[in-house]
């Protein structure tokens, strides 16, 4: 009988040791999300303007709906909706028929704006692969460097993109990020978070947006190039947050 219980104990111990544990990168990002708003993101309704277009987002524990109201160069106004069921464009309350390729383009355009506004939420999605690649110092502050890639399944049409996040070691905030993208001949961007503020319990930032034309540059080197003044500023990204509500 003793041998039997010893056998069960050993099996249970082996099973526990084989259970996947959260990596250091997972733990850091979870702490970053918690500090930035945590559970509030899951039931947040956010309304903001970006580059003269109005956006809204609504979440309810896995269900989401992103919208954009946009006016094109001809003065025609469209209302775009992206949710769990896909993308739809409306004009004067009537659905606009679009090819699958255009749906993909508009869908990614809407998603990208909401993605950056709601960072760091989303970095714990199932398709996200995180790796702590090291530490570095920017302006006398120590940062964790966390590399993010995506599984093909669930990672979206841009699943090949690669990101790098610089997380301030003590404050647990993402103060810088970089990414390598492959659409439209590809490129590299480096962003510095500016104007951090809390709205409705959620951390919101704007960005200074930089680029390098040296596409072979490793993302983890961009913070050094930034401090050396070797990156070119291409835009100022400002989000005017109109309203944030957390639903019960």
């Amino acid at each position: 009988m003793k041998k039997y219980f010893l056998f069960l104990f050993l099996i249970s111990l082996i099973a526990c040791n084989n259970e996947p544990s959260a990596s250091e990168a997972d733990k850091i990002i979870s702490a970053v999300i918690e500090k930035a708003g945590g559970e509030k993101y899951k039931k947040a309704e956010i309304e903001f303007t970006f580059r003269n277009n109005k956006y809204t987002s609504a979440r309810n524990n896995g269900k989401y709906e992103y919208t954009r109201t946009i006016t094109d160069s001809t003065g025609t106004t469209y209302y775009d909706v992206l949710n769990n069921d896909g993308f739809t464009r409306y004009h004067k309350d009537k659905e606009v028929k679009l090819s699958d390729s255009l749906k993909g383009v508009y869908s990614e355009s809407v998603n990208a704006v909401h993605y950056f506004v709601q960072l760091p939420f989303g970095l714990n999605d199932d398709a996200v692969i995180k790796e702590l690649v090291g530490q570095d110092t920017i302006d006398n502050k120590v940062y964790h460097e966390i590399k993010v890639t995506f599984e093909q399944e669930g990672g979206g049409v841009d699943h090949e993109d690669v990101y790098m996040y610089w997380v301030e070691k003590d404050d647990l905030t993402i103060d810088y990020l970089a990414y390598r993208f492959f659409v439209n001949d590809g490129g590299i961007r480096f962003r510095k978070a500016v104007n951090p503020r809390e709205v409705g319990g959620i951390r919101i930032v704007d960005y200074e947006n930089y680029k390098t034309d040296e596409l072979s540059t490793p993302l983890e080197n961009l913070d050094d190039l930034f401090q050396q003044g070797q990156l070119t500023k291409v835009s100022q990204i400002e989000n005017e947050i109109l309203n944030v509500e957390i639903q019960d």
Side-chain angles (χ1 to χ4, degrees):
M1 183 66 68
K2 289 181 179 179
K3 290 182 179 180
Y4 175 73
F5 283 115
L6 177 60
F7 173 75
L8 289 180
F9 172 76
L10 291 174
I11 291 296
S12 137
L13 184 62
I14 292 170
C16 289
N17 288 336
N18 286 336
E19 290 180 357
S21 59
S23 69
E24 278 302 307
D26 290 323
K27 294 175 184 176
I28 292 169
I29 290 299
S30 292
V32 170
I33 293 173
E34 182 62 30
K35 183 168 184 180
E39 292 295 309
K40 293 183 178 70
Y41 284 105
K42 295 182 179 180
K43 291 191 175 182
E45 294 184 0
I46 304 173
E47 182 181 353
F48 64 98
T49 60
F50 172 66
R51 292 179 177 167
N52 298 320
N53 298 319
K54 182 179 176 181
Y55 293 80
T56 70
S57 67
R59 291 182 177 276
N60 189 356
N61 291 325
K63 295 289 185 180
Y64 73 90
E65 181 171 280
Y66 299 157
T67 76
R68 173 179 66 179
T69 303
I70 185 172
T71 301
D72 67 14
S73 58
T74 69
T76 305
T77 298
Y78 296 101
Y79 181 65
D80 296 335
V81 179
L82 175 64
N83 56 30
N84 299 78
D85 297 323
F87 177 86
T88 308
R89 166 164 283 191
Y90 297 92
H91 173 56
K92 294 183 178 179
D93 297 326
K94 293 184 179 180
E95 182 177 343
V96 178
K97 298 300 181 183
L98 299 170
S99 66
D100 289 343
S101 59
L102 274 180
K103 280 188 177 182
V105 170
Y106 295 152
S107 172
E108 287 305 308
S109 176
V110 172
N111 184 68
V113 173
H114 286 283
Y115 175 84
F116 284 112
V117 167
Q118 297 189 31
L119 276 174
F121 187 76
L123 293 181
N124 271 344
D125 289 352
D126 291 340
V128 177
I129 304 169
K130 298 177 285 290
E131 177 188 358
L132 178 61
V133 297
Q135 289 186 347
D136 209 339
T137 301
I138 306 176
D139 288 340
N140 298 316
K141 291 185 177 182
V142 178
Y143 287 86
H144 299 294
E145 293 179 318
I146 295 180
K147 178 181 178 181
V148 165
T149 54
F150 303 91
E151 300 278 5
Q152 181 172 353
E153 183 176 352
V157 297
D158 296 327
H159 64 270
E160 294 181 339
D161 291 355
V162 181
Y163 284 73
M164 185 74 66
Y165 295 92
W166 283 265
V167 177
E168 209 283 336
K169 186 177 179 182
D170 297 321
D171 293 339
L172 293 174
T173 55
I174 294 176
D175 295 347
Y176 305 88
L177 65 93
Y179 57 100
R180 186 189 307 276
F181 60 95
F182 297 93
V183 298
N184 299 324
D185 298 325
I188 291 177
R189 293 292 183 270
F190 179 88
R191 293 189 177 192
K192 175 184 178 181
V194 296
N195 190 25
R197 66 268 194 204
E198 184 178 295
V199 185
I202 288 178
R203 184 175 189 261
I204 302 290
V205 301
D206 298 326
Y207 296 100
E208 294 175 359
N209 191 26
Y210 297 84
K211 73 171 184 176
T212 176
D213 293 327
E214 298 296 330
L215 300 188
S216 61
T217 303
L219 294 183
E220 57 266 33
N221 292 351
L222 290 173
D223 58 325
D224 295 328
L225 296 178
F226 170 73
Q227 293 183 91
Q228 295 164 11
Q230 296 185 31
L231 300 180
T232 302
K233 185 176 180 180
V234 293
S235 64
Q236 189 81 15
I237 298 172
E238 297 177 344
N239 303 294
E240 181 186 357
I241 306 301
L242 304 176
N243 189 45
V244 175
E245 291 186 8
I246 310 301
Q247 302 302 309
D248 295 330

